[in-house]
Amino acid sequence: MDQFKGADGWFKTIEDELGQIGTIKELILDRANNFSMGSMRRVDDNGIGQIEEVEQPTRGSISFTISIPERIQQKFNPYSVAAGRKYEIGTEFQVDTRYLFHGPVTFVECVNAPPGTLASSAVALVREYLRSELQKLGGTVELLVVGPSPFHADFRIKTMPGAKPEEFDPINIQKARGFDICTFTFHQEAGIPLEILKRISQSIISDEFSLYYELVRDREIRSDQLQGIAIDLDILVDMHQTRGIKGVFRRLFRSSHKAREIILDILTAEAAEANAKRSNTQQLKELKEQPGRLIYQDKLQDQIDTSFITELRALKESASMLESGRTKEFEVAVLSLATLLGAASGAVASLIAK
């Protein structure tokens, strides 16, 4: 935060750098003074996650429209790259980022999309295009995302004349292969502008998405801890598989420290699992107590129920078993050495007696 000279500096830096991207129009920033530290996971070129503390607003918003010409879309759209073809999603996109208590949520709207558009692919397209443009600027603004995307959904708004029927559910989720389709239906006698309906729809799902992505970030951080412990266990196994006198010395004098280190890391990770379960359950409880309904409560609960306790216990058993084998090997080595020293002492005493 210090490098931006407070909240105003933070927003001003973003405004200045986004303003240098020629395809961005109608840039609007709703500034806020509420900031908090949050943990973000950055993945390097080797797929290894690194945890960073990032300060960001817990209130406010950033919105703009962005134009991405069709001729370059295939280059930036991961779906097009994977399929080897272009997706028809239009060229104008409305991007709205809301900063909330648990973290930011970004909505991408296809403004001039043809019917049947795979709208979710626009999220990836805008993300990769913005990353490229920000890198060209070489400034301080960087786009951080939670990925790979935990789930995909297209959100649509539908209007119908008249009052809403008593038993009608205005929110419908259609399960589909690859992408769910969530439709918000508004019955209205007086025409309410689509922009207002869009804001209402975003407000309904923003808080639960903010919590959802925090749960995903927390899961990824714990997963990285598990991966690190597994790598250390592989090193320990390698020590025990090394043959010859070199292997004996590695097991007797180095593997004990490594095994203790692994077991301590596992105990720390097990405590983190218990804390995450308790904290995340409380956060979901508080969200459920707020007015309105949760659309994706099952997905929130799935993230909370994700646990690495079974894997951690298996790693601990493996480390303990290897350490137990090393202890027995050390006892045998000491006993053998004592026998050799005893025999040598007996031989010396015999020579002296003669």
Side-chain angles (χ1 to χ4, degrees):
M1 173 67 73
D2 292 340
Q3 64 173 314
F4 300 116
K5 298 181 180 180
D8 288 340
W10 191 92
F11 279 102
K12 184 67 166 57
T13 300
I14 291 179
E15 183 177 31
D16 289 345
E17 295 198 18
L18 289 182
Q20 295 180 53
I21 300 176
T23 53
I24 286 181
K25 299 175 294 183
E26 300 174 12
L27 177 61
I28 300 174
L29 291 87
D30 178 13
R31 291 169 169 80
N33 291 318
N34 298 334
F35 278 70
S36 68
M37 295 299 295
S39 295
M40 295 296 294
R41 174 176 174 268
R42 185 192 302 276
V43 179
D44 62 22
D45 294 337
N46 297 318
I48 304 299
Q50 300 292 332
I51 307 305
E52 295 183 6
E53 293 297 317
V54 179
E55 194 165 18
Q56 59 190 8
T58 56
R59 289 291 181 269
S61 64
I62 299 173
S63 66
F64 55 86
T65 59
I66 186 168
S67 302
I68 306 178
E70 285 189 359
R71 68 178 184 278
I72 64 171
Q73 286 190 13
Q74 188 166 339
K75 171 185 175 183
F76 291 106
N77 193 334
Y79 296 93
S80 296
V81 173
R85 65 182 181 85
K86 182 176 67 175
Y87 280 91
E88 298 292 341
I89 56 177
T91 58
E92 299 288 323
F93 307 94
Q94 175 68 34
V95 181
D96 298 297
T97 297
R98 293 185 170 205
Y99 290 93
L100 303 161
F101 179 76
H102 297 290
V105 177
T106 297
F107 299 90
V108 177
E109 176 191 357
C110 300
V111 176
N112 61 345
T117 290
L118 184 64
S120 289
S121 65
V123 177
L125 170 64
V126 171
R127 178 192 69 210
E128 296 305 316
Y129 178 76
L130 274 177
R131 272 182 171 168
S132 175
E133 293 299 304
L134 289 171
Q135 286 174 359
K136 289 178 184 177
L137 293 177
T140 57
V141 176
E142 183 179 5
L143 188 65
L144 296 179
V145 299
V146 177
S149 182
F151 78 97
H152 300 271
D154 285 345
F155 293 87
R156 301 174 181 178
I157 295 176
K158 180 180 179 181
T159 59
M160 298 186 69
K164 180 178 78 69
E166 186 174 342
E167 300 298 326
F168 183 80
D169 187 350
I171 303 175
N172 174 262
I173 298 178
Q174 178 184 345
K175 300 292 184 180
R177 183 178 180 181
F179 295 85
D180 291 349
I181 299 175
C182 180
T183 303
F184 294 86
T185 301
F186 293 90
H187 286 78
Q188 52 181 2
E189 296 179 359
I192 300 177
L194 179 61
E195 184 64 24
I196 294 179
L197 298 180
K198 184 180 70 173
R199 297 297 177 187
I200 293 173
S201 302
Q202 290 180 357
S203 297
I204 292 172
I205 58 179
S206 288
D207 284 327
E208 65 179 288
F209 271 22
S210 178
L211 174 58
Y212 177 81
Y213 285 111
E214 182 182 41
L215 297 177
V216 171
R217 288 192 296 271
D218 178 68
R219 184 204 67 201
E220 290 176 341
I221 290 170
R222 291 184 285 118
S223 177
D224 286 339
Q225 292 175 329
L226 176 67
Q227 183 182 4
I229 294 171
I231 291 173
D232 284 341
L233 183 63
D234 287 340
I235 295 172
L236 182 62
V237 170
D238 182 64
M239 290 181 179
H240 282 262
Q241 289 180 335
T242 304
R243 298 181 179 275
I245 191 68
K246 179 181 178 182
V248 172
F249 275 95
R250 290 183 70 186
R251 288 191 293 276
L252 294 182
F253 301 108
R254 292 179 56 191
S255 67
S256 178
H257 173 75
K258 192 66 178 178
R260 287 196 301 270
E261 183 183 85
I262 290 171
I263 291 173
L264 286 174
D265 286 344
I266 291 173
L267 293 175
T268 301
E270 287 178 335
E273 288 291 315
N275 290 335
K277 178 73 173 180
R278 181 172 57 254
S279 173
N280 294 340
T281 299
Q282 178 62 27
Q283 291 186 97
L284 177 57
K285 177 176 179 293
E286 292 173 357
L287 185 61
K288 290 165 66 175
E289 291 172 350
Q290 295 180 13
R293 61 183 280 192
L294 295 181
I295 300 176
Y296 284 106
Q297 180 176 335
D298 57 335
K299 293 187 181 295
L300 290 167
Q301 191 63 55
D302 286 345
Q303 292 299 320
I304 293 174
D305 292 339
T306 299
S307 171
F308 302 109
I309 285 293
T310 301
E311 292 87 345
L312 289 169
R313 287 175 179 169
L315 291 172
K316 184 163 64 174
E317 290 175 4
S318 298
S320 299
M321 182 187 67
L322 292 172
E323 175 60 8
S324 175
R326 184 209 66 84
T327 301
K328 291 179 180 178
E329 186 175 20
F330 182 75
E331 291 172 351
V332 170
V334 171
L335 181 60
S336 300
L337 182 60
T339 302
L340 289 172
L341 291 175
S345 297
V348 171
S350 177
L351 289 172
I352 293 173
K354 291 180 179 181

